[in-house]
Amino acid sequence: MSIEFLVATAIGALTAGGIYLCLRARTFPVVLGLAMLSYAINLFLFAMGRLVVGKPPIYAKGVAVYTDPLPQALVLTAIVISFGMTALALVLALRTFLETGTDQVDGTPDPDLLDRENRT
Amino acid sequence: MHLILLALLPFLGAGWLALSPRASRDVHAGIAVAHVVAALGLLIFIAPGVLGGAPDALRLPWVPALGLDLSLRLDGLGLLFAALILGIGLLIVIYARFYLSPRDPMGKFLSLLLLFQGAMLGISLSGNILLLLVFWELTSLSSFLLIGFRSDTADGRQGARMALAVTGGGGLALIGGLLMLGHIAGSYELADVLLRGDIVRASPLYPAALLLILLGCFTKSAQFPFHFWLPHAMAAPTPVSAYLHSATMVKAGVFLLARLWPVLSGSDWWFYLVGTTGLVTMVVGAAIALFKNDLKAILAYSTVSQLGLMTMLFGFGTPAAALAGIFHLLNHSLFKAALFMNAGIVDHEAGTRDIRLLGGLARLMPITTALGTIAAASMAGLPPFGGFLSKEMMLEETVHTAWLGTHWFVPALAVIGAALSVGYSLRFIVHLYFGPRRDSYPAAPHDPPLGLWAPSAVLVALTLLVGLFPAVLTGWLVVPAAADITGGTASGFHPALWHGVTPALVMSVTAVAAGVVLLWRYAPLLRAWAALPLFEAKPVFQAGIERLVRAARWLSDTVHDGSLQRQLALLFLLAVAIGVEGIWYGGYSAGTRELLPAPPIAIIAWSLLMAATAAVALVPRQRFVTLIYISVIGLVVSLAFIHLSAPDLALTQISVETVTILLLLLALNLLPKQPVQLSSNPERVRNLVLGVAGGVTSGLAAWAVMTREPRNPISSFHWANSYSGGGGTNVVNVTLVDFRAFDTFGEIIVLGIAALTIFALLQPAARGVSGQRLRAWIADLPRSPERHPMMFAVAARLLLPLALMVGLYVFLRGHNAPGGGFIAGLIVSIALLMQYMASGFEWADQRRQIDEHALIGFGVIIAALTGVGSLVFGAPLFTSAFGYVSWPIVGKFELATAMLFDIGVALAVIGAVMLALAELSHIAQRAQKEPVEDDGPMDIDPAKLRGARP
């Protein structure tokens, strides 16, 4: 088994899980799904520079074999930005829940909410 | 340089007026007059050179990649048009000062008027057809604001919308047409395009480009069948009509026809499209004008007709006709602006514009009557006024024009059009000023103050003088303009009141006689006209717009039905379809790159990741537990980065992981923890299918790339120049702070915006409905009796200086070893967040010295200043400089401006992360209702120990 295979399958699994979670009806899984998709996409972008073991992009004279630094730089900011995105999506979900009393986002009425309103 | 100042003056005036809304009406008028006079003076200063045959030009690169330059050019044609715009503009400003009522915001009105003037001037000065487009669109927008100036009336709003829809739509066509023209000609510079007429007319794209450009011109100049917007634009205050709808905006289309005449004319396409449209418009517009009752509507349809006349003349494609067209453009501007002002005076002083309620004003308003009569006589084409001369020239040209082989068709229609013009002009004179005096008018008519009639008097005097001394007065302006259109081939300009008995004179006399008959038999004609099955354009237009709105609403409601899932599913489906399509048509094969063998530890980590992924996705009931699985994924990803030569990424990932989990925990505290199972089985199957399809395609794509050798990645440049150019050996960091610093700069701004949005979302959450829910919130999880566990609090405080030290260390070494601003910022944030967690929000927040907003702001400002600083030294934006200094003990140490930039990055990251988490924990804290009086951070409440489990 090669590392490439492991990374490719991991990207596939994370993408599949991310999509599946994003399509759920409640906000919290959607946020988790976004986070998982970010892992998958960051790994994918990183893999575009090919996988290299033990040759970090630290410049030294005479070193000719190194891993591609550019995807790393791009992914580094992408990781930080995905944090910003996850945080924003999460806070949106929280505020929506506080404002509407439901965390359901598939356009149908929330049975939990109806239940609670009937009781009060 | 003069040209730039000339182009800017109206905009400067508009800006000044817009910024001083409180000044008095006279100050406003003074500012406007000063700017227009200055521009006019500048124009007169430049004019001699231009008229001497040396066009003034100026060219500054703007977007060279698009062929768009700030290219200004003033030739004879531009000068004529600019003189009309500024000259009549000056009179209009004075007129408007006395016309507008004290209730009307004078500053706003004049500001918009000057904005429009600047746009028009820009059209006449543009030396680049893309720049011309920019100004063209600006006239549409500013005229929308002017027509809709009385936005409290439905007519004003609808008229403005209609004008914008028609002229704006034409503008879109014009964009396409001019882009095609530039493409064919190989340049967007007007001077180049004008020389390449033969290439353009020979191109197979010529008919399409011509059609699109003509759509733009015809909509702007209200040519049939797009004429309907102009009468509705009469809802504008009269100064606007006098300016936009007589002398300037509607002439822009005709001006563009003249401007592009050397390139586009001279083909059958041009002759039949432009000539015929003009001819039809001339007759139709004049016919409608004859039967309208609103003074401004009569003038509006008359303008449509006269614009048709000019369009027709340019459409003939002969130099003599173009000369006549230019001459009539000048004459029409003079008499039509005067007539609009006159109609405004009547409206102002007699209280109505309905010609049926007026008449007999000659005794009551003698000055107005005299001015209006002369201007209308010029419009009718009666001698000895300017309008007569250009109408004669027009009739003369029609005699020489064959249409589909017939020689009588164009002259006959021209005579009909001229007769109708005589008819409506005479009706304007006779029914308005003469005839019996009425017993009562809506207001008592009297002549207006000097300020209202003087501007039109200037124009009327000019139209009379032009009629008497045409060659002397206008030759110097008209001949160079015509020469610019026709490349100097225009035949001699010999306008005179008497040429002997020519065909044109016979036609003219016929037309006048017929016009008199039309007025004489007006009543039966009106009955016949009323019986015609004509339709109103406005209801049709309104219905069309309503249908469009309904269709758009239906479409968005159908696509966007309130379900996030549906939209996301469509999005994912599209993405997967694109991937599948690529594999389907492109084929799929793995490459032959040598693969890396996976050590057992990697396989174990991979298994953990796969299991955790499956667990998050498939065991959703326990939300807190899923957070643990998520963090397992994050850890494995960081480990993978370490193993695969990406230490910077590993550091970033693991710190972001920590912060993300904290954030999720805080939010989940307030969100439902165990939802009822909701998704139905078919839905879950759909989601599973989409998810698996997305996973398989992305995995396959990644596999295909990873098994191939890279092909000359651009990063070899980064590698080679990192140390010598950027002064750092950590190529990733140098890329972030130097090579791609501008990207990084954008990213910290995005991060800051995200944090501020979070702040904006959570700040008001304590009010309103969500505030009620927060207060009613009941802790639904068992709580630890130790609000702030002593061990944790002590450890966190001890660790704080250490963690800050680590952050500083990681920051300082970042340029040469794994680390840098992003990572250091995250580490410092985590160190601070630990205090919040260990000792509580209040305790930590009281000890916070710096506001997070300020941190974000300072971070972005520092980064920006560093970037801009390099400009001071003549280097491109975000160039870094570096040097080495020897410090005692520390030894040789590098100082780089990139480090300053990195400080900005770190501050912005700290600010953003802290702001997001602090706001979230603040909200959570507001929801707590437990007493906080004995809330020392190391305090244990023994009472809670007993009743811990609710």
Side-chain angles (χ1 to χ4, degrees):
Chain A
M1 221 186 281
S2 62
I3 298 186
E4 279 85 356
F5 173 78
L6 299 185
V7 172
T9 46
I11 290 173
L14 286 170
T15 311
I19 293 179
Y20 179 78
L21 283 172
C22 277
L23 293 176
R24 296 191 68 89
R26 304 273 178 169
T27 51
F28 196 70
V30 174
V31 175
L32 289 187
L34 278 177
M36 275 175 84
L37 271 180
S38 320
Y39 290 132
I41 291 163
N42 289 339
L43 268 178
F44 186 90
L45 288 178
F46 172 69
M48 293 303 103
R50 310 304 189 273
L51 307 184
V52 178
V53 174
K55 297 186 181 61
I58 307 293
Y59 177 85
K61 265 189 194 141
V63 176
V65 184
Y66 54 90
T67 184
D68 194 337
L70 191 56
Q72 292 199 15
L74 299 182
V75 171
L76 198 153
T77 48
I79 294 174
V80 182
I81 294 285
S82 11
F83 161 72
M85 181 194 67
T86 311
L88 187 56
L90 189 66
V91 168
L92 259 178
L94 177 61
R95 177 78 195 277
T96 313
F97 174 67
L98 289 176
E99 209 65 44
T100 62
T102 172
D103 62 343
Q104 193 172 334
V105 282
D106 67 350
T108 55
D110 182 355
D112 282 8
L113 184 67
L114 291 177
D115 193 36
R116 249 176 288 146
E117 273 167 2
N118 286 343
R119 254 182 284 156
T120 53
Chain B
M1 249 15 244
H2 299 126
L3 288 183
I4 287 212
L5 187 60
L6 182 59
L8 277 181
L9 268 169
F11 293 115
L12 292 176
W16 190 353
L17 285 165
L19 290 176
S20 54
R22 302 242 171 97
S24 75
R25 291 152 56 83
D26 287 322
V27 170
H28 282 142
I31 295 172
V33 166
H35 281 83
V36 183
V37 166
L40 204 54
L42 197 57
L43 191 72
I44 293 171
F45 176 71
I46 308 173
V50 176
L51 296 173
D56 205 348
L58 175 115
R59 189 170 170 184
L60 298 171
W62 185 8
V63 194
L66 294 179
L68 173 57
D69 286 346
L70 185 67
S71 166
L72 299 177
R73 180 171 175 276
L74 187 67
D75 60 1
L77 177 62
L79 181 74
L80 171 79
F81 206 48
L84 280 179
I85 292 163
L86 291 173
I88 296 185
L90 180 61
L91 298 175
I92 294 290
V93 169
I94 298 168
Y95 178 78
R97 158 65 189 86
F98 294 95
Y99 182 86
L100 290 188
S101 79
R103 288 189 311 277
D104 289 322
M106 176 76 77
K108 180 185 164 194
F109 180 81
L110 290 177
S111 173
L112 291 175
L113 201 72
L114 286 195
L115 181 70
F116 168 79
Q117 186 179 63
M120 284 305 300
L121 205 55
I123 290 183
S124 65
L125 289 176
S126 290
N128 181 300
I129 54 178
L130 295 179
L131 187 65
L132 190 145
L133 265 179
V134 174
F135 286 117
W136 184 279
E137 295 294 321
L138 193 56
T139 60
S140 292
L141 291 176
S142 52
S143 71
F144 169 75
L145 295 173
L146 280 170
I147 297 170
F149 185 71
R150 302 216 192 278
S151 55
D152 50 339
T153 64
D155 276 352
R157 293 192 299 269
Q158 289 165 3
R161 266 207 300 273
M162 190 190 278
L164 185 68
V166 177
T167 60
L172 287 179
L174 186 69
I175 291 176
L178 288 183
L179 285 176
M180 285 169 82
L181 178 65
H183 175 75
I184 302 170
S187 166
Y188 292 100
E189 278 299 300
L190 191 60
D192 298 336
V193 175
L194 289 182
L195 295 175
R196 296 181 190 163
D198 292 332
I199 304 173
V200 171
R201 283 187 298 271
S203 161
L205 288 174
Y206 168 71
L210 178 68
L211 204 63
L212 289 171
I213 292 174
L214 289 184
L215 268 177
C217 294
F218 289 171
T219 47
K220 199 79 159 184
S221 281
Q223 295 297 293
F224 183 84
F226 307 111
H227 61 286
F228 57 88
W229 70 265
L230 186 58
H232 291 291
M234 291 300 132
T238 300
V240 173
S241 308
Y243 195 35
L244 272 66
H245 305 134
S246 68
T248 52
M249 183 169 99
V250 292
K251 294 257 168 63
V254 176
F255 173 77
L256 192 60
L257 288 179
R259 184 86 276 184
L260 297 176
W261 195 89
V263 194
L264 297 177
S265 78
S267 68
D268 277 354
W269 281 99
W270 173 270
F271 174 75
Y272 284 106
L273 280 174
V274 182
T276 314
T277 305
L279 188 63
V280 171
T281 309
M282 176 172 75
V283 176
V284 170
I288 302 175
L290 185 60
F291 299 104
K292 285 288 163 184
N293 293 317
D294 181 352
L295 294 179
K296 281 175 79 177
I298 297 174
L299 295 177
Y301 279 106
S302 134
T303 303
V304 168
S305 165
Q306 305 271 349
L307 289 167
L309 189 160
M310 288 172 241
T311 303
M312 176 184 78
L313 283 172
F314 287 115
F316 286 168
T318 62
L323 180 70
I326 282 294
F327 189 40
H328 193 69
L329 189 137
L330 179 65
N331 281 324
H332 176 251
S333 299
L334 295 180
F335 68 68
K336 191 51 69 62
L339 279 172
F340 267 116
M341 290 188 201
N342 209 273
I345 292 172
V346 171
D347 188 15
H348 212 256
E349 309 302 346
T352 181
R353 295 198 314 247
D354 193 332
I355 200 167
R356 289 169 300 186
L357 304 177
L358 293 162
L361 294 179
R363 293 272 181 75
L364 299 163
M365 305 172 74
I367 302 175
T368 313
T369 301
L371 295 174
T373 306
I374 296 177
S378 184
M379 174 160 79
L382 298 178
F385 306 109
F388 170 74
L389 298 171
S390 44
K391 191 161 281 184
E392 287 280 280
M393 286 164 82
M394 178 275 282
L395 292 170
E396 177 71 29
E397 290 311 313
T398 60
V399 175
H400 307 305
T401 305
W403 197 85
L404 285 179
T406 55
H407 288 272
W408 56 266
F409 180 71
V410 178
L413 279 180
V415 170
I416 294 175
L420 289 165
S421 312
V422 173
Y424 66 68
S425 303
L426 289 183
R427 175 168 177 244
F428 194 91
I429 297 172
V430 173
H431 287 189
L432 179 58
Y433 304 120
F434 299 100
R437 206 169 129 175
R438 292 184 182 268
D439 297 335
S440 73
Y441 296 94
H446 55 86
D447 265 327
L450 178 73
L452 267 183
W453 65 260
S456 65
V458 172
L459 294 170
V460 168
L462 278 174
T463 195
L464 176 62
L465 290 172
V466 166
L468 295 175
F469 314 106
V472 182
L473 270 176
T474 62
W476 55 277
L477 201 53
V478 170
V479 172
D484 277 317
I485 301 175
T486 60
T489 58
S491 55
F493 180 57
H494 308 296
L497 291 173
W498 180 251
H499 277 298
V501 179
T502 57
L505 186 70
V506 175
M507 290 160 78
S508 214
V509 171
T510 315
V512 172
V516 172
V517 172
L518 283 175
L519 190 63
W520 179 41
R521 308 298 300 164
Y522 188 73
L525 275 173
L526 183 63
R527 278 197 296 277
W529 176 264
L532 285 179
L534 300 169
F535 71 93
E536 270 288 304
K538 190 173 171 181
V540 177
F541 180 82
Q542 300 276 48
I545 293 285
E546 263 165 38
R547 214 166 297 142
L548 262 178
V549 169
R550 266 204 305 276
R553 189 164 293 149
W554 172 83
L555 189 68
S556 22
D557 285 352
T558 314
V559 177
H560 192 138
D561 67 344
S563 163
L564 177 69
Q565 274 53 49
R566 183 190 170 118
Q567 309 220 10
L568 286 178
L570 284 174
L571 187 70
F572 291 135
L573 196 65
L574 187 69
V576 168
I578 290 172
V580 169
E581 192 260 351
I583 293 176
W584 191 272
Y585 290 105
Y588 185 85
S589 65
T592 54
R593 187 174 193 260
E594 198 183 328
L595 299 178
L596 300 166
I601 186 77
I603 297 176
I604 294 173
W606 173 80
S607 317
L608 273 174
L609 181 137
M610 298 300 261
T613 309
V616 176
L618 303 175
V619 193
R621 303 276 309 193
Q622 298 290 331
R623 287 185 172 175
F624 272 112
V625 183
T626 54
L627 291 187
I628 296 174
Y629 299 140
I630 280 277
S631 55
V632 169
I633 299 173
L635 281 176
V636 173
V637 172
S638 334
L639 287 175
F641 284 143
I642 292 181
H643 188 62
L644 297 169
S645 321
D648 287 278
L649 292 191
L651 282 169
T652 315
Q653 182 73 62
I654 199 151
S655 24
V656 162
E657 200 53 44
T658 317
V659 185
T660 309
I661 295 297
L662 280 178
L663 192 82
L664 288 167
L665 273 172
L666 276 170
L668 191 51
N669 183 30
L670 294 171
L671 284 169
K673 280 92 193 162
Q674 283 184 323
V676 287
Q677 199 64 42
L678 196 87
S679 296
S680 61
N681 278 333
E683 267 179 349
R684 270 194 283 173
V685 170
R686 174 199 73 175
N687 300 350
L688 202 62
V689 169
L690 253 180
V692 168
V696 168
T697 42
S698 63
L700 282 175
W703 175 252
V705 175
M706 284 190 288
T707 51
R708 284 174 165 79
E709 287 294 340
R711 222 183 290 169
N712 307 326
I714 55 169
S715 47
S716 53
F717 169 84
H718 298 112
W719 180 263
N721 289 286
S722 169
Y723 189 66
S724 55
T729 54
N730 181 2
V731 187
V732 174
N733 183 265
V734 176
T735 307
L736 285 174
V737 299
D738 188 327
F739 297 128
R740 304 195 63 88
F742 198 52
D743 285 3
T744 313
F745 181 59
E747 270 144 7
I748 59 173
I749 290 178
V750 171
L751 199 62
I753 291 173
L756 291 177
T757 315
I758 288 172
F759 176 76
L761 278 170
L762 290 183
Q763 266 298 304
R767 294 194 293 272
V769 186
S770 68
Q772 283 170 16
R773 284 216 174 76
L774 264 184
R775 283 187 288 280
W777 180 79
I778 302 159
D780 50 358
L781 281 176
R783 305 244 133 191
S784 161
E786 282 186 274
R787 288 174 58 84
H788 308 294
M790 187 187 288
M791 290 281 281
F792 186 25
V794 171
R797 282 179 212 179
L798 281 177
L799 277 174
L800 179 64
L802 281 177
L804 292 179
M805 197 65 165
V806 169
L808 188 64
Y809 172 67
V810 166
F811 174 80
L812 286 177
R813 71 175 211 159
H815 215 41
N816 294 307
F822 274 113
I823 301 165
L826 287 163
I827 291 176
V828 170
S829 309
I830 293 170
L832 297 174
L833 285 173
M834 291 225 303
Q835 309 310 313
Y836 279 81
M837 281 165 46
S839 308
F841 177 83
E842 290 201 339
W843 184 88
D845 208 49
Q846 281 159 8
R847 284 155 185 78
R848 181 173 56 97
Q849 301 289 328
I850 308 168
D851 185 48
E852 291 102 353
H853 299 81
L855 273 181
I856 299 176
F858 277 126
V860 172
I861 289 173
I862 290 174
L865 286 180
T866 320
V868 176
S870 58
L871 290 180
V872 178
F873 297 98
L877 203 63
F878 287 107
T879 309
S880 66
F882 58 94
Y884 298 89
V885 287
S886 269
W887 284 354
I889 305 172
V890 182
K892 191 178 144 188
F893 190 81
E894 184 195 352
L895 279 180
T897 58
M899 191 167 274
L900 219 54
F901 181 78
D902 229 6
I903 290 179
V905 172
L907 289 182
V909 170
I910 297 173
V913 172
M914 294 304 294
L915 185 58
L917 279 132
E919 271 310 307
L920 208 47
S921 49
H922 193 196
I923 280 290
Q925 196 235 3
R926 279 187 204 168
Q928 296 287 4
K929 275 158 299 292
E930 282 128 60
V932 286
E933 70 273 9
D934 59 345
D935 210 7
M938 292 196 195
D939 178 64
I940 298 172
D941 182 0
K944 296 261 182 67
L945 271 175
R946 270 171 269 134
R949 302 268 160 194

